Amino acid sequence: MSGIEDPGHGHSPAAWTTVVIMLVAVTLGTVFFFFDMPVLVWLSVVLLVIGLVVGFIMTKVGYGVGGAKTISKQH
């Protein structure tokens, strides 16, 4: 092995929360686009950005990979 430490691949509460919020936003945006609801499409874009902000804040608070509030699992 090369001795490079595993970065964790995003297995953290911050990563999962961000991905779930963004998946919901993209799904809703696609449905609203299909039904020709432009205002709701733009609101789903806002939700997408909110997902990024939530993930950033959760990482800074300590819920990211290797954060103070996460428990590292040994495989």
Side-chain angles (χ1 to χ4, degrees), residues 44-71:
S44 68
V45 172
V46 171
L47 182 61
L48 189 75
V49 173
I50 289 172
L52 284 173
V53 171
V54 167
F56 179 75
I57 291 171
M58 286 183 71
T59 300
K60 292 298 179 186
V61 173
Y63 289 103
V65 174
K69 297 182 180 178
T70 58
I71 299 171

Side-chain angles (χ1 to χ4, degrees), residues 24-36 41 44:
V24 169
V26 169
T27 302
L28 289 175
T30 303
V31 170
F32 296 145
F33 183 81
F34 179 77
F35 287 114
D36 194 26
V41 171
S44 68

Side-chain angles (χ1 to χ4, degrees), residues 16-31:
W16 281 102
T17 304
T18 302
V19 169
V20 168
I21 292 172
M22 293 177 79
L23 274 172
V24 169
V26 169
T27 302
L28 289 175
T30 303
V31 170

Side-chain angles (χ1 to χ4, degrees), residues 3-12 15 64-67 70 72 75:
I4 298 174
E5 192 172 316
D6 183 22
H9 303 288
H11 296 298
S12 68
V65 174
T70 58
S72 179
H75 294 280

